[in-house]
Amino acid sequence: MPKITYITADGIRHVADAQVGDTVMATAVRLAIEGIPAECGGNCSCATCHVYVVPDHAALVGPPDEEEDSMLELTASERRPTSRLSCQIVVTPELDGIEVELPPEQL
Amino acid sequence: MSTGALIVGAGQAGAQIAISLREIGYREPITLIGEEPYAPYQRPPLSKSVLLGDRDVLELHIKGPNYFAEKSIRVITGERVESIEVDTDGVGGRASTSSGQVIEFEKLALATGAGARRLDVEGADLDGVHCLRGIDDAVTLRDRLRADQRIVVVGGGFIGLEFAAAARSRGADVTVLQSTDRLLSRAVGPAISDFYLDAHTRRGVTVLLESDLVAIHGDPHSRAVNAVELADGTRLAADLVVVGIGAKPNVELAEHLGLECDGGIVVDAQARTSRTQIVAAGDCTVSLDPLTETRVRLESVQNAVNQGRCAAASLAGSMGIKPAVPYFWSDQYDLTLQIAGLSQGYDKVVIRGDRGSEQFAALYYRGSRLIAIDAVNCPRDYAAVLSALRSGAHIPAELAVQGALSLRDMMKAPIPAER
């Protein structure tokens, strides 16, 4: 199982066993990791599952597509070069070990 | 010990009230009770990916399996609240359930949701006549969607059209009956309605506008549906009839408590009912649309979540929930419709993009003010308008009409003085 580390805005690290095919958002929700409200349930309509991919892992995760890119303009916390919506990141074996930081605000 | 908060209804809104209460530091007991036999789950996929078999119903939970226990939120499923008594001092009371339990509470929230409206015609109770509201409905319908089925969908709203799209995608023969002169007539403007009529027709669905169903016929022995009859005498063969004619808010408990109801439980911007100690949230409520000053009932995840947060804040005596801009979405075939704002009360429409390539948007204005967008496969325009509506930025209609320009760039234009 790929491991994903979620780092909350106050620095707490949660290491999650993710299932291939799940999204990074759904994994956090399943494991009750707070800081990802994911209001629309993964439909790329609300921008409340914003994460910052730790820069060293950004290339592995890749850039957002057009739809996600436009929604990233709506995030409650500042957008950074490695901002992604976690409902659009599908877990693959290659993502094992990635770390994502949660922004201070999602709403 | 305090008896804490009782939340009646364990859907999206009820779950959100419980989640938000804990997030804002409420420490007393929380009981969340719902009549469906499932932990809180998301409804939108029921008429979309679940029907297509792309998503298992087990994946619909709003929170993971341990969340509610970890947060000391008691979740009671498969149990209906039959009656509620509130103490005369207005604080606290007790609820009685279908199994005879009595649950005491200090604070009360109603998130009773809405039920599918039923058809009131002969044959509406035949086998093979279904509505689509809960997990059980979706699973039953998913398992009946086969290419050899002749399906009549009653109602051309979101549920009816999403079901029609899923059924057609799985090869079924599909006819949609709509009683008014256009599809989605309560939700979108005429240009979008016309587009969806064409889009469904192009994909092989028959849409009959201004058609009135008068009866459903079936085999007298097996009770299986076999045809529907329209007011003009037309009979359409049908193996399955799916009814999507809107939802009726569940207000019985609220009415018994003497709360003001007007097509839903009346709540203010803080989700407080006419007895301000009692809050309500989600599909069961009506609230004031500040723009048109009319009461609206918003059936959406966004409204359930936002009102749920407001309700929790009111119960816990905290403040600071930002007013929210409504948004909605609908997936049909490869078409994603995204709506931001409420278009009711508009007096001008700007169309952008290209209908023929199935990428276009309608922007709605009231005077010079942008109030809403319906965007088909146009996520950039949707995001720009949602952002403008949230920030109060202006997108002038005379610029928006230039489809080649980005709305986001126009938004940087200075906001003109109020006229």
Side-chain angles (χ1 to χ4, degrees):
Chain A
M1 267 185 178
K3 289 201 188 305
I4 297 174
T5 302
Y6 299 81
I7 307 167
T8 65
D10 41 16
I12 299 167
R13 300 169 67 88
H14 299 277
V15 182
D17 286 323
Q19 286 167 10
V20 171
D22 255 0
T23 65
V24 171
M25 178 278 282
T27 303
V29 169
R30 182 168 51 81
L31 299 172
I33 294 166
E34 288 183 51
I36 301 188
E39 192 171 281
C40 79
N43 197 65
C44 206
S45 285
C46 73
T48 65
C49 63
H50 181 199
V51 297
Y52 303 120
V53 180
V54 167
D56 288 352
H57 304 148
L60 215 52
V61 178
D65 67 9
E66 186 200 331
E67 180 177 8
E68 182 186 340
D69 182 59
S70 54
M71 288 308 296
L72 279 164
E73 296 294 329
L74 284 163
T75 53
S77 295
E78 59 155 352
R79 179 177 181 175
R80 297 184 199 156
T82 66
S83 284
R84 289 291 312 265
L85 296 182
S86 56
C87 73
Q88 302 299 307
I89 307 173
V90 177
V91 176
T92 59
E94 293 72 42
L95 293 192
D96 183 32
I98 64 158
E99 298 179 335
V100 298
E101 294 175 350
L102 306 184
E105 304 282 336
Q106 290 278 21
L107 302 170
Chain B
M1 194 184 103
S2 163
T3 52
L6 173 66
I7 304 162
V8 182
Q12 187 93 47
Q16 187 64 48
I17 297 172
I19 293 164
S20 292
L21 277 173
R22 286 295 183 239
E23 281 176 358
I24 58 185
Y26 183 76
R27 289 163 183 278
E28 308 299 334
I30 299 174
T31 304
L32 178 61
I33 180 167
E35 63 182 302
E36 284 187 89
Y38 306 103
Y41 65 89
Q42 306 168 49
R43 275 183 213 283
L46 296 181
S47 52
K48 307 177 181 81
S49 51
V50 168
L51 292 176
L52 293 169
D54 292 344
R55 200 158 170 192
D56 191 89
V57 292
L58 296 173
E59 296 167 23
L60 300 181
H61 293 305
I62 288 171
K63 287 289 184 187
N66 304 324
Y67 175 86
F68 293 103
E70 278 173 15
K71 295 289 174 188
S72 302
I73 296 166
R74 180 180 172 216
V75 180
I76 304 175
T77 57
E79 184 111 1
R80 185 183 162 80
V81 170
E82 300 283 358
S83 65
I84 302 174
E85 249 178 73
V86 176
D87 296 335
T88 45
D89 60 5
V91 184
R94 63 211 53 78
S96 306
T97 74
S98 43
S99 73
Q101 281 195 70
V102 174
I103 304 169
E104 303 268 343
F105 59 84
E106 263 166 23
K107 295 178 186 292
L108 177 63
L110 299 177
T112 45
R117 272 187 60 210
R118 308 276 162 171
L119 268 179
D120 186 21
V121 300
E122 177 200 332
D125 57 346
L126 288 166
D127 287 346
V129 180
H130 289 275
C131 63
L132 174 50
R133 182 79 198 168
I135 282 183
D136 295 344
D137 302 325
V139 168
T140 304
L141 289 171
R142 178 193 68 195
D143 295 345
R144 289 204 53 166
L145 283 185
R146 291 191 313 268
D148 60 351
Q149 293 283 295
R150 292 163 303 177
I151 298 175
V152 172
V153 178
V154 185
F158 284 125
I159 296 292
L161 293 186
E162 287 174 4
F163 180 82
R168 185 69 201 122
S169 299
R170 293 186 62 181
D173 175 64
V174 182
T175 301
V176 175
L177 307 179
Q178 167 73 335
S179 60
T180 64
D181 62 357
R182 61 185 180 94
L183 296 173
L184 298 169
S185 50
R186 285 189 307 134
V188 301
I192 304 294
S193 297
D194 291 350
F195 169 80
Y196 274 93
L197 175 62
D198 291 347
H200 277 273
T201 306
R202 270 200 297 279
R203 288 165 173 84
V205 170
T206 303
V207 179
L208 302 178
L209 298 176
E210 297 181 294
S211 59
D212 273 325
L213 180 75
V214 291
I216 303 175
H217 301 290
D219 184 288
H221 301 293
S222 71
R223 309 256 326 131
V225 64
N226 58 29
V228 302
E229 183 183 338
L230 308 185
D232 65 5
T234 308
R235 270 174 93 111
L236 302 169
D239 305 305
L240 183 64
V241 175
V242 175
V243 180
I245 54 170
K248 214 172 97 198
N250 296 323
V251 297
E252 296 77 9
L253 291 170
E255 283 176 342
H256 278 288
L257 287 167
L259 306 182
E260 184 186 4
C261 294
D262 176 17
I265 305 169
V266 176
V267 295
D268 66 12
Q270 281 84 47
R272 295 176 302 193
T273 68
S274 57
R275 282 172 89 154
T276 52
Q277 308 91 332
I278 302 176
V279 296
D283 287 7
C284 63
T285 69
V286 289
S287 59
L288 204 64
D289 168 31
L291 192 67
T292 55
E293 296 187 328
T294 53
R295 280 177 180 156
V296 290
R297 193 165 71 79
L298 300 177
E299 295 169 57
S300 69
V301 169
Q302 178 274 330
N303 183 58
V305 170
N306 188 64
Q307 272 185 336
R309 282 190 198 117
C310 294
S314 291
L315 282 186
S318 69
M319 296 301 280
I321 306 292
K322 288 186 269 188
V325 174
Y327 67 81
F328 311 82
W329 72 91
S330 175
D331 295 325
Q332 298 167 42
Y333 313 104
D334 51 352
L335 305 171
T336 297
L337 171 66
Q338 291 173 298
I339 299 175
L342 299 179
S343 60
Q344 63 164 333
Y346 72 89
D347 51 30
K348 180 177 185 172
V349 185
V350 170
I351 303 288
R352 287 168 56 84
D354 176 23
R355 255 184 73 141
S357 65
E358 303 196 321
Q359 282 193 315
F360 84 117
L363 278 70
Y364 300 90
Y365 287 83
R366 185 174 166 96
S368 61
R369 180 174 170 188
L370 174 64
I371 57 172
I373 183 171
D374 298 333
V376 179
N377 290 349
C378 274
R380 281 190 187 276
D381 282 1
Y382 164 77
V385 171
L386 181 55
S387 172
L389 293 173
R390 283 181 179 171
S391 67
H394 186 63
I395 300 177
E398 55 278 18
L399 289 180
V401 74
Q402 300 179 47
L405 300 180
S406 141
L407 291 179
R408 176 157 296 279
D409 294 341
M410 299 170 196
M411 213 163 59
K412 288 171 188 153
I415 298 169
E418 284 292 323
R419 267 172 247 174

